[in-house]
Amino acid sequence: MHTQDFNWTLIRSFLAALEHGSLMGAARALGMHQPTLGRHIAELESQLGVTLFERTGRGLQPTADALRLAEPARAMAGSADQLARQARGAQARVQGTVRISASQPVACVLLPPVLVQLRTRLPDIHIELVVSNAVSNLLQREADIAVRMVRPEQGTLVGKRVGQVGIGAYAHRDYLQRRGTPRRPEDLLQHELVGFDRQPDIVRGFAAMGHTLTKDQFALRTDDLVAYEALVRAGAGIGFLAHYVARQSPELVHLLPLASIPPLPMWLVVHREIRSNPHIRSVWAALSTQLPAVLGS
């Protein structure tokens, strides 16, 4: 007999016959027909060149060869079961690389504790964090998942709103000691304002309050959000920060808390075609659950 000709699946039938002592009992235990199990035993005997059972009125009586082969057969079956369990475990284990795109504040403040928990729970998932204030193009697969402040409009993208980002006017307490504290929204125009260069949100916000403002009226301008926060934190003037960012700096004072500054929605976005991937779905679920918790109000 050549090893490559050996039918390993017959070992299961042999062990069942050895345990139950009859073709009927073994077939019932394995969920197969008795003639099929009988053919398995006959084929195994033929392949091994030995007689494994004596057929008697009391059932199957194992021969000395059967008893001698029982231990290695059980070891073989155990190895097969272990292989199957490991294969199922490998299939169930979530693994892969997920590319997440987020703005600087989100990437530097909100995501780190979330990603630490995610990696602890799913150590076989690796994260690539794309830090950019531009909106990544998910259609061109620049990222797998994006955290955005705008709702996706393309039909091929799936979006889930995970919260909203409250925004307020903030200044360092040392700046306020030098220049005084504004009491009304229009008082802001008499202060040093930290603004954006090309991004128009602050100008539009003042316009919504009925005040015309141009970017030339900003004492300092930058479109880099980390630099923007650093300028406000250094006491350069009054700036507009997300509450979750300002909470990191206790020396910042929230000004005009009753002034109406509309919050921005936070969206989790993924391409519809890849959302079903197990590793991407796992990261999506973790972000959906944990981002609202770290975002706060």
Side-chain angles (χ1 to χ4, degrees):
M1 180 194 70
H2 297 290
T3 302
Q4 60 266 31
D5 297 330
F6 182 68
N7 186 350
W8 303 100
T9 61
L10 304 179
I11 295 299
R12 186 163 168 257
S13 295
F14 165 61
L15 290 174
L18 192 64
E19 179 181 354
H20 292 278
S22 70
L23 293 178
M24 181 179 297
R28 186 183 300 114
L30 295 180
M32 64 175 62
H33 297 297
Q34 180 176 332
T36 301
L37 192 136
R39 285 195 299 272
H40 285 185
I41 298 299
E43 182 180 349
L44 183 60
E45 289 178 328
S46 174
Q47 289 189 8
L48 296 176
V50 298
T51 300
L52 296 174
F53 295 98
E54 298 290 345
R55 278 71 170 173
T56 69
R58 292 177 297 176
L60 299 177
Q61 293 297 319
T63 65
D65 287 325
L67 296 176
R68 178 173 54 84
L69 295 173
E71 184 175 348
R74 291 190 182 100
M76 186 185 300
S79 297
D81 289 341
Q82 182 180 10
L83 178 64
R85 285 194 300 270
Q86 291 180 352
R88 287 193 297 269
Q91 186 177 25
R93 187 170 64 243
V94 180
Q95 55 187 334
T97 299
V98 179
R99 191 172 171 89
I100 302 174
S101 172
S103 67
Q104 289 169 310
V106 172
C108 295
V109 179
L110 291 184
L111 283 181
V114 172
L115 297 182
V116 168
Q117 292 184 38
L118 187 150
R119 286 275 304 145
T120 301
R121 188 167 56 87
L122 300 171
D124 293 313
I125 288 184
H126 300 272
I127 301 296
E128 291 180 359
L129 186 56
V130 182
V131 183
S132 173
N133 297 324
V135 176
S136 292
N137 192 337
L138 297 184
L139 299 180
Q140 297 180 3
R141 306 299 168 82
E142 294 177 2
D144 298 314
I145 298 175
V147 183
R148 292 181 174 179
M149 300 304 156
V150 291
R151 183 174 187 170
E153 297 180 354
Q154 299 93 333
T156 53
L157 299 181
V158 176
K160 179 180 181 180
R161 182 167 173 164
V162 293
Q164 63 181 20
V165 179
I167 301 172
Y170 286 89
H172 194 285
R173 57 189 175 214
D174 291 346
Y175 169 84
L176 297 175
Q177 289 178 359
R178 294 196 316 267
R179 296 293 306 273
T181 300
R183 302 300 178 186
R184 299 171 300 172
E186 51 267 31
D187 293 343
L188 294 173
L189 298 174
Q190 308 304 318
H191 281 265
E192 304 269 327
L193 296 179
V194 181
F196 299 132
D197 185 27
R198 288 166 297 194
Q199 216 268 15
D201 282 356
I202 296 177
V203 172
R204 289 174 180 170
F206 273 90
M209 293 187 292
H211 302 290
T212 301
L213 184 70
T214 68
K215 68 177 186 179
D216 292 333
Q217 292 173 263
F218 294 132
L220 290 161
R221 300 194 300 267
T222 180
D223 288 325
D224 187 296
L225 298 181
V226 172
Y228 187 97
E229 177 199 354
L231 288 169
V232 177
R233 199 171 58 243
I238 296 174
F240 298 87
L241 300 172
H243 294 321
Y244 73 82
V245 172
R247 282 198 296 265
Q248 309 298 307
S249 304
E251 69 274 13
L252 295 181
V253 178
H254 185 195
L255 306 172
L256 305 169
L258 298 180
S260 178
I261 300 178
L264 296 175
M266 178 175 284
W267 292 87
L268 206 57
V269 187
V270 68
H271 197 285
R272 187 181 302 275
E273 290 182 1
I274 62 174
R275 187 188 180 191
S276 59
N277 291 358
H279 59 295
I280 293 177
R281 187 170 62 245
S282 297
V283 174
W284 169 277
L287 295 178
S288 299
T289 301
Q290 297 176 35
L291 271 178
V294 297
L295 182 60
S297 59

